[in-house]
Amino acid sequence: MVPRLISVLFLFSILGLTQTTWANVSLPSFFSDHMVLQQNTELSIWGWAKPGENIVVSTTWNTQYNAIASNQGSWSVLIKTPTGSMTPYDISIKGYNEILLKNVLIGEVWLCSGQSNMEWSANSKINNAEEEIKQANFPAIRFFSVEHRTALTQQIDLEGQWVECSPATMQNFSAIGYFFARKLQQELKIPVGVINSSWGGTPAETWMPAEVFEHDEVISTAAKKLESVPWGPVEIARIYNAMIEPLTKFRIAGALWYQGESNVGTAYAYKATMAALITSWRKKWGLDFPFYYCQIAPYRYGKPMEGAELRDAQRRTLDIPQTGMVVTSDIGDTSDIHPRNKLDVGLRLANMALGQYYRIDTRVVSGPLYKDSQVQGRHILVYFDHAEGLNCKGDQLTHFEIAGEDGIYHPAEAKIKKDNSVEVQSDQVKRPVAVRFAWSNTATPNLFNGAGLPASCFRSN
């Protein structure tokens, strides 16, 4: 009995030694079946293993890479991706164990982020929802939904999974992200992957790394004014740590952003906040990717003009290189902070990407944006960028106001000139010094360009 007992104990000790000697190679959750990788680039695939473990990464587009896990148990390889196509590939990651990623596509990958209007799905009620869901059969479009999480420190992984676009998966995904991807896929003829990392009712400050607040008094002061709410975090960096930081080594083409409703109370700091967010994200990714965002729609906010002030801060954020803004004043609902027309928002974002980033579309992709103004006697001439074919949808232009040296604004008459400028004047202001446009929370003006896109609100002073 004693020899047998010794043999059994020896066997268990060997098994225990084997279990502690070998380790399973593992990957972040966004490396999985059905994922999309960015085309024509060199990108990282990484994970964890036992220190010193040999890792072999093989792809069916005929590449093989080797790595050795560090003394921290981490490893990574840089792989080159081919031109995007509909060809599905496999990727093998082999150490002591093997992980096989199947049905991997190569194409374009975009990140969608922000608050509820970006998160809004077809199931949340959008225009023509039933028909849109029924038609959503696009296996070359892939979705990755990031689960809501917060963290006090920056994380290395997150919760989520890649799925093919189908009626079952599209209905719960970001509607804007879906419509954007559908347009891109149809025009580019290659796969499109969309990562949705958004959370309704959250301010921009919680989507930014903590270090950006350390030496910026403007955004730090504004962040301290945020009040706690029951539906999500407002503390700086909490969402960034858990839902953005883990993605920063995953190669993307660009980012889409729809947020701002939760920042109307500190609109004065929003331009600085967005500049810090965009700059910090690009620094984290190590890439000056395009960043396209949606101007918030007209809505009955609590304090007068705070919505207009936030929209104007968004307009002024356009001085950051490689950014673009979609104006939504014509497709909003002043009684609903969640307008149901997500199709046109997604298409406008897609057209912006196709024109400005991919450069395969020459159409005008922005509404008229304030450029300059000149006082001429009792009139002010207003000049716009993207003003080709400037027109009025209605009998006369609305929502223009001018002010004299007293700073008091009065409703003004406005008319479009042959050079696509707008002449503004008011009988109540003999010596105008400033002009503003669509300057109220619920303003839905009727100035458009020839591409059918609405003009953004602005003020000249």
Side-chain angles (χ1 to χ4, degrees):
M1 291 294 293
V2 174
R4 181 178 297 177
L5 178 59
I6 292 174
S7 298
V8 171
L9 291 174
F10 178 75
L11 177 60
F12 276 110
S13 69
I14 291 296
L15 289 173
L17 180 63
T18 301
Q19 289 174 342
T20 58
T21 301
W22 287 21
N24 285 332
V25 172
S26 60
L27 301 169
S29 62
F30 37 81
F31 292 124
S32 70
D33 294 347
H34 315 303
M35 71 176 174
V36 180
L37 292 178
Q38 183 64 32
Q39 67 168 338
N40 290 329
T41 191
E42 190 173 61
L43 53 79
S44 294
I45 292 181
W46 71 95
W48 305 278
K50 183 178 176 58
E53 188 171 349
N54 291 312
I55 311 298
V56 179
V57 178
S58 305
T59 74
T60 53
W61 60 88
N62 297 321
T63 54
Q64 181 173 302
Y65 302 86
N66 296 277
I68 298 176
S70 72
N71 64 352
Q72 304 297 312
S74 62
W75 59 268
S76 67
V77 296
L78 285 175
I79 70 171
K80 292 183 178 180
T81 55
T83 299
S85 71
M86 298 301 183
T87 303
Y89 296 102
D90 293 341
I91 301 176
S92 166
I93 300 95
K94 190 172 184 180
Y96 295 132
N97 62 304
E98 182 177 9
I99 299 173
L100 184 62
L101 307 180
K102 300 179 180 180
N103 191 23
V104 174
L105 295 180
I106 309 295
E108 292 293 294
V109 182
W110 285 77
L111 170 65
C112 297
S113 191
Q115 56 181 110
S116 54
N117 274 306
M118 182 60 83
E119 190 175 24
W120 206 258
S121 68
N123 267 350
S124 300
K125 295 182 180 178
I126 62 171
N127 292 350
N128 200 31
E130 184 176 351
E131 190 61 28
E132 293 290 2
I133 292 171
K134 187 186 302 181
Q135 295 178 2
N137 282 299
F138 296 97
I141 296 175
R142 306 290 172 84
F143 302 138
F144 186 92
S145 297
V146 178
E147 298 292 336
H148 288 180
R149 296 288 186 274
T150 64
L152 294 174
T153 58
Q154 295 180 359
Q155 303 297 295
I156 60 175
D157 200 4
L158 44 69
E159 296 290 329
Q161 63 177 337
W162 284 101
V163 295
E164 292 186 359
C165 173
S166 68
T169 59
M170 170 270 186
Q171 61 186 300
N172 295 310
F173 193 75
S174 163
I176 289 174
Y178 163 70
F179 290 127
F180 172 86
R182 188 178 71 180
K183 177 66 173 178
L184 250 62
Q185 203 280 315
Q186 291 171 342
E187 296 294 330
L188 300 177
K189 309 297 184 186
I190 58 173
V192 176
V194 186
I195 301 168
N196 177 33
S197 183
S198 54
W199 190 329
T202 54
E205 288 82 352
T206 194
W207 291 96
M208 301 159 60
E211 56 263 30
V212 303
F213 295 90
E214 294 175 0
H215 306 292
D216 194 319
E217 186 176 348
V218 172
I219 65 174
S220 297
T221 301
K224 292 174 183 177
K225 294 181 179 181
L226 295 169
E227 298 181 359
S228 179
V229 293
W231 49 80
V234 299
E235 298 86 354
I236 65 169
R238 294 292 178 87
I239 295 179
Y240 173 86
N241 289 340
M243 296 177 60
I244 297 295
E245 171 64 24
L247 296 167
T248 57
K249 290 198 295 182
F250 191 81
R251 187 63 180 262
I252 60 174
L256 309 177
W257 178 260
Y258 196 154
Q259 192 277 335
E261 297 90 345
S262 291
N263 282 92
V264 293
T266 54
Y268 68 89
Y270 194 76
K271 180 180 185 289
T273 300
M274 284 308 301
L277 185 147
I278 296 167
T279 301
S280 66
W281 282 23
R282 287 173 172 172
K283 181 178 179 181
K284 288 283 188 175
W285 261 275
L287 181 69
D288 286 334
F289 52 71
F291 191 100
Y292 302 137
Y293 57 92
C294 302
Q295 191 179 59
I296 62 172
Y299 178 68
R300 298 178 297 190
Y301 292 100
K303 295 181 181 179
M305 295 181 289
E306 62 182 359
E309 290 170 353
L310 194 288
R311 287 194 290 274
D312 194 50
Q314 292 178 310
R315 178 187 66 84
R316 291 184 286 111
T317 302
L318 288 169
D319 62 10
I320 299 173
Q322 297 192 71
T323 57
M325 182 182 74
V326 167
V327 179
T328 62
S329 59
D330 61 323
I331 52 176
D333 183 340
T334 58
S335 64
D336 191 341
I337 203 169
H338 302 119
R340 299 305 197 255
N341 185 350
K342 302 304 185 193
L343 172 61
D344 283 326
V345 179
L347 292 180
R348 289 176 185 182
L349 285 167
N351 288 335
M352 188 164 286
L354 291 168
Q356 294 186 2
Y357 180 61
Y358 296 106
R359 300 189 183 281
I360 65 169
D361 197 328
T362 58
R363 80 181 74 185
V364 175
V365 295
S366 171
L369 297 171
Y370 174 75
K371 181 180 181 180
D372 192 15
S373 60
Q374 296 179 0
V375 177
Q376 294 189 350
R378 298 187 59 168
H379 301 84
I380 294 183
L381 285 178
V382 182
Y383 299 92
F384 297 87
D385 289 322
H386 314 294
E388 299 86 350
L390 212 60
N391 67 90
C392 166
K393 291 191 176 182
D395 296 332
Q396 59 184 16
L397 287 177
T398 61
H399 293 87
F400 278 94
E401 301 171 281
I402 58 175
E405 292 181 354
D406 60 3
I408 299 174
Y409 280 90
H410 299 273
E413 297 178 0
K415 61 181 179 180
I416 299 170
K417 307 289 284 184
K418 290 183 179 180
D419 63 352
N420 285 318
S421 65
V422 174
E423 184 182 77
V424 187
Q425 70 90 28
S426 171
D427 292 339
Q428 295 175 280
V429 183
K430 294 182 179 180
R431 295 175 181 170
V433 299
V435 58
R436 69 186 186 186
F437 171 68
W439 205 258
S440 75
N441 288 341
T442 58
T444 54
N446 60 358
L447 178 62
F448 291 75
N449 60 17
L453 298 172
S456 169
C457 67
F458 71 86
R459 60 180 175 187
S460 62
N461 60 344

